[in-house]
Amino acid sequence: MATEGPVLIVGTGLLGASLGLCLQAGGVPVYLSDISPTSERLGADMGAGLPAGAEVLSIEDTFFIPGGTVEAPSLVVIATPPDVAGTTAVKALRRFPQAVVTDVASVKSAVLQDVLDEAKAAGDPSLAARYVGSHPMAGRERSGAGAADADLFVGRPWVLVAGSDCDARAVLMVRTLAMDVGSVPVEMDAATHDQSVALVSHVPQLVASMLAARLEEAPAEALGLAGQGLRDTTRIAASDPRLWTAILAGNAGPVADVLHALRDDVDDLLSHLDAAAAQGPLEGGSVGAVNRVMTAGNRGVARIPGKHGGAPRRYAEVEVLVPDEPGELGRLFSELGELGVNIEDLVLEHSAGQRVGLARLMVDPGVARQAERDLEGRGWRIIAHHGA
């Protein structure tokens, strides 16, 4: 790895511990600090770094961790929740005057403003010069060091947000960090970042949570009919409420802008559906209103980049029934590999109480039909044939 160590990671949740695991595996020395001794110890026990203690940012002389005095970090990564990321970044900038400081919070304007305010109040422009905001677009529903994964950042965008006074060396150091852990660096300003994540991350979290909340007192017979569509649209509703409260409150303006636009769409649709409910199923302009919503959704989803970036590719679907037994899904994958078929994407559907699941495999349209025939020849049950 090209990242200069040691690296001090403040905050040993999912992102902090995952980053530590990856850097340690690449031979970069890492120290961990967390306000929770238990979380810090868990990160250390998992191999994400050496424990430095929560008081490390308040010590004013040498950099000391349990076990002795060590070299001060060249890079400090703030992996705390966004509501304290700004103040923590300021502490790190003052504590380690030679270090570059970055944070991985999913809100950037507020953190950057905290640093700029401190630099102005202290009359010390070097504080702003050594700070680079960043945000790896990586995560999962589970939080904490116990969910950490050294490969969490591989192939994911890592946004770099450099203020106008930021030093080029600092930007290069954070860019190098992102590349070393397998991410793809993307530079943008703080406002653009916050507006972007409001649309593609923050509001989807809220919508999923609000939809899932409708299930809290749903009758059992309704839940028994739940299919993959409900599971897909509510999956992220299992996310950590405390973390997301801090994220959404910190990006309130851009999130509210998207929600206002969404509310306008819902209000328009509701007016037509209410009219249809009163006048008859096909009355009140409901057909056109529903069609507009669905068509706009089609256009929007078509703009989501494909797995290799750029415009999304169209794939053919091969649907296979997979027995709910150990090793069966692995056998399906192995046999597709033997047939020379690459799985571009995969969706698994499994209805409650059923002894089989449905694997929807997205493959190159040119090989789909032959793959279906070959799989049937090997004893697999094919449910449907789809064209390109």
Side-chain angles (χ1 to χ4, degrees), residues 23 32 41 65 74 76 109 123 147 215 241 248 315 330 339:
L23 291 175
L32 305 174
R41 186 69 256 177
I65 66 169
S74 59
V76 180
S109 295
L215 308 177
L248 293 164
Y315 297 115
L339 295 170

Side-chain angles (χ1 to χ4, degrees), residues 318-324 328-329 331-332 348-350 354-361 375 379-384:
V318 175
E319 298 187 346
V320 187
L321 277 183
V322 182
D324 186 13
E328 287 299 294
L329 187 59
R331 181 169 69 88
L332 174 61
L348 286 176
E349 300 184 11
H350 202 155
Q354 300 301 308
R355 297 187 59 82
V356 294
L358 177 65
R360 293 173 52 214
L361 310 171
L375 287 174
W380 293 98
R381 182 177 173 188
I382 306 300
I383 297 302

